Amino acid sequence: MEEKVSVIIPAFNEEKNISKTIEIAKKGKFVDDILVINNLSTDGTEEIAKNQGARVERCNFQGKGYAMEKGIQCAKNDIIVFLDADVKYGNEKIVDILATPLRMKNCDFVKSTFDRTKGGVVTEVAVKPLLKLAFPKMYHFSEPISGMIASRKSILEKLVLEKDYGVDIGILIDVIEQGYEVLEVNIGEIENMSHGNKTNLTMSKMSSEIVNAIWKRI
């Protein structure tokens, strides 16, 4: 019997892009569970997601890490793929690309790398230099803070997730330090739809939270 896949999409005020992300999730061959985590949205994200056929759960604490925790708790399947809701995906097979190594039992955790149209400042300026110093064996990851990942519920539910922007790098460091096999795969071109809306203050906050998550693990 083929293993089924749950796709989890944390979302905060993503009414402009959520339907497209759900459509990408539907392209997965073995997906039978698409779960949108409404992270205190004040727009039409939840209604649009339901109309698109996704299952919606509400997370009453602001922060991506809280939303990811809620998604892990509510996922129906052991194989979980996370997609960011504010990204335009150029490759419609992204879910299969992320889930297949797990289904084939080639690894325990899949981290995405991709071809950017823009962005990447925090990764190149703040994250990679610190990883090179503190965790040299992780420096080879092209996109260490990528939010498009896949793993097993039985692994993810054992982790203590950061509650803010540090959640993605925290997960990567923890699964490697705990001895899980990690594979990086290319998911093609993406465009971060919210990148142009991030202020310098937001970028500074993001950088600080990511650096803090790394520092806690040194």
Side-chain angles (χ1 to χ4, degrees), residues 153-171:
K153 180 173 182 174
S154 52
I155 292 174
L156 294 170
E157 62 188 0
K158 295 176 183 177
L159 304 178
V160 179
L161 273 58
E162 300 293 326
K163 302 305 186 285
D164 50 31
Y165 284 119
V167 63
D168 295 310
I169 189 62
I171 290 174

Side-chain angles (χ1 to χ4, degrees), residues 123-204:
T123 298
E124 299 301 328
V125 174
V127 179
K128 285 188 175 181
L130 184 53
L131 285 179
K132 188 174 183 179
L133 290 172
F135 298 99
K137 62 183 178 181
M138 272 178 258
Y139 182 65
H140 71 279
F141 287 97
S142 300
E143 299 291 342
I145 60 173
S146 165
M148 287 74 74
I149 62 173
S151 190
R152 292 187 175 274
K153 180 173 182 174
S154 52
I155 292 174
L156 294 170
E157 62 188 0
K158 295 176 183 177
L159 304 178
V160 179
L161 273 58
E162 300 293 326
K163 302 305 186 285
D164 50 31
Y165 284 119
V167 63
D168 295 310
I169 189 62
I171 290 174
L172 178 62
I173 294 173
D174 290 346
V175 293
I176 291 176
E177 290 295 292
Q178 292 179 30
Y180 292 109
E181 185 68 26
V182 178
L183 180 67
E184 186 175 51
V185 299
N186 193 300
I187 59 173
E189 186 174 283
I190 71 164
E191 179 181 356
N192 191 318
M193 306 301 288
S194 65
H195 179 78
N197 298 324
K198 288 186 171 71
T199 65
N200 289 337
L201 182 61
T202 300
M203 295 296 284
S204 177

Side-chain angles (χ1 to χ4, degrees), residues 61-76:
F61 298 95
Q62 184 69 63
K64 185 181 180 183
Y66 284 116
M68 291 178 71
E69 277 186 339
K70 183 73 173 182
I72 294 166
Q73 293 167 4
C74 297
K76 294 180 179 179

Side-chain angles (χ1 to χ4, degrees), residues 13-110:
N13 288 347
E14 296 294 347
E15 64 179 9
K16 294 181 179 179
N17 201 56
I18 191 65
S19 63
K20 294 178 182 178
T21 308
I22 292 171
E23 286 304 311
I24 288 292
K26 289 179 179 179
K27 302 288 185 181
K29 292 180 180 179
F30 300 97
V31 174
D32 70 350
D33 181 32
I34 299 174
L35 178 56
V36 172
I37 306 299
N38 182 2
N39 196 201
L40 296 178
S41 297
T42 57
D43 63 1
T45 296
E46 180 168 324
E47 182 179 356
I48 293 170
K50 288 180 177 178
N51 289 339
Q52 288 292 105
R55 188 161 58 99
V56 177
E57 294 285 347
R58 294 180 180 177
C59 176
N60 296 321
F61 298 95
Q62 184 69 63
K64 185 181 180 183
Y66 284 116
M68 291 178 71
E69 277 186 339
K70 183 73 173 182
I72 294 166
Q73 293 167 4
C74 297
K76 294 180 179 179
N77 301 306
D78 192 39
I79 294 180
I80 293 175
V81 171
F82 279 97
L83 295 181
D84 283 346
D86 62 347
V87 170
K88 180 179 179 181
Y89 300 99
N91 191 336
E92 293 186 343
K93 297 181 179 180
I94 175 178
V95 173
D96 290 339
I97 292 172
L98 290 168
T100 296
L102 294 168
R103 295 185 60 257
M104 299 297 291
K105 296 180 170 55
N106 292 332
C107 65
D108 304 303
F109 183 88
V110 181

